[in-house]
Amino acid sequence: MTRFGGRRITTLLFDLDETLYQPETGLLKQIDRRIEGFLQKKLGMDKSAGAELRQKYYRQYGTTLRGLKEAHGVDPQEYCAYTYQLDVGKYLKPNPVLYEILMRIPAQKVVFSNSPRRHVYRVLQTLQIHQCFSKIFDIEFTNYLGKPHRLSYEMVMESLGVSGHECILLDDQPVNLEPARELGIITVLVGEEAKKNTTVDYKIEVVEEIAEVWADITGKELKKTGSDLL
Ligand SMILES: [Mg+2]
């Protein structure tokens, strides 16, 4: 018997940044620098004041952007255009192995990210896995609430017409998995944080290990695709 009794899974929800690609790529660090730059330019904050503000808004509002919008009237479009203005291709390259794995999983795959849609799509395209996903739920979709706000998860599930019990969420942030677990979603922690002891259902170091997680949950190995015969 599998751990989840061969549960029927219809939907895989993937975080984007540092879940579908690894931290070593340096992409998120660069976005962080752009956010620092934005705070300096817009609010005249130096690096340490900016970092403090981000921590504060993260705790208070869930995301820096929501804090900036609520407390400073920052235009989200302007923030996103500035902070995500970078050459993704400098940091990421196509991941055909991940493409194969995702294509073999017989369930819908969607991205659920606190980043804006344009960035999500650019990352998926650069990794060449955009065809694997049927939908993108970005920060705007949740009216800049984002993860880990429980309402954001409910909005995504309602839009997909699915219940928690038929979903898996993969994310590199333990805090983002907590509300998911409460909603009955199977939680998979991806990356470095996974080494530490947290209350998640699965811990994997890289997203490609979803193949094993899938087999463990459903009791079914992933089928080979045509390209394996080449
Ligand atoms: Mg992430």
Side-chain angles (χ1 to χ4, degrees):
M1 198 58 169
T2 62
R3 196 163 136 205
F4 285 92
R7 197 188 279 189
R8 187 176 160 268
I9 301 294
T10 63
T11 309
L12 275 78
L13 307 157
F14 289 84
D15 169 51
L16 181 87
D17 295 298
E18 300 199 339
T19 292
L20 284 171
Y21 63 85
Q22 294 185 37
E24 294 74 33
T25 56
L27 177 58
L28 195 61
K29 268 205 186 80
Q30 192 55 34
I31 296 169
D32 262 347
R33 271 183 220 121
R34 301 281 309 168
I35 295 175
E36 277 168 19
F38 185 87
L39 294 176
Q40 192 168 29
K41 196 176 82 128
K42 207 73 189 165
L43 305 176
M45 287 184 161
D46 65 16
K47 204 173 161 179
S48 72
E52 218 170 280
L53 188 83
R54 288 174 69 184
Q55 277 294 323
K56 187 179 154 207
Y57 287 170
Y58 183 72
R59 282 194 304 269
Q60 206 174 335
Y61 297 97
T63 57
T64 306
L65 176 53
R66 194 169 172 87
L68 290 174
K69 183 173 167 275
E70 300 289 324
H72 303 270
V74 165
D75 173 15
Q77 307 269 355
E78 187 194 352
Y79 172 89
C80 290
Y82 185 92
T83 53
Y84 290 90
Q85 192 187 55
L86 35 89
D87 182 6
V88 171
K90 252 173 75 182
Y91 302 90
L92 304 179
K93 58 180 192 332
N95 186 345
V97 173
L98 181 57
Y99 174 87
E100 281 295 324
I101 293 168
L102 294 177
M103 280 306 202
R104 284 180 200 172
I105 299 178
Q108 66 174 338
K109 284 131 248 159
V110 304
V111 173
F112 178 21
S113 170
N114 280 356
S115 287
R117 168 174 299 271
R118 267 189 64 190
H119 171 72
V120 175
Y121 195 69
R122 235 175 343 197
V123 167
L124 296 180
Q125 251 187 331
T126 309
L127 294 168
Q128 287 183 14
I129 56 171
H130 53 289
Q131 286 167 323
C132 304
F133 296 89
S134 55
K135 262 192 180 143
I136 294 170
F137 295 97
D138 71 339
I139 189 71
E140 200 180 344
F141 175 80
T142 59
N143 194 24
Y144 304 102
L145 209 54
K147 296 175 284 186
H149 205 293
R150 186 180 163 128
L151 185 60
S152 304
Y153 301 70
E154 290 170 340
M155 286 168 80
V156 167
M157 286 197 295
E158 199 194 325
S159 167
L160 291 169
V162 296
S163 74
H165 286 273
E166 48 188 305
C167 298
I168 302 174
L169 173 67
L170 295 93
D171 203 299
D172 65 299
Q173 299 295 319
V175 70
N176 289 346
L177 293 168
E178 283 168 25
R181 201 149 192 248
E182 286 167 22
L183 290 163
I185 298 171
I186 296 175
T187 53
V188 182
L189 184 60
V190 183
E192 271 298 299
E193 288 282 329
K195 286 180 189 152
K196 296 176 200 158
N197 211 8
T198 51
T199 50
V200 293
D201 296 309
Y202 291 92
K203 299 175 192 180
I204 57 179
E205 278 188 40
V206 290
V207 66
E208 288 82 354
E209 291 172 53
I210 184 61
E212 285 84 58
V213 172
W214 176 266
D216 192 67
I217 294 170
T218 62
K220 290 175 193 143
E221 297 290 331
L222 293 180
K223 287 201 181 78
K224 302 271 184 216
T225 60
S227 61
D228 285 318
L229 303 170
L230 295 173

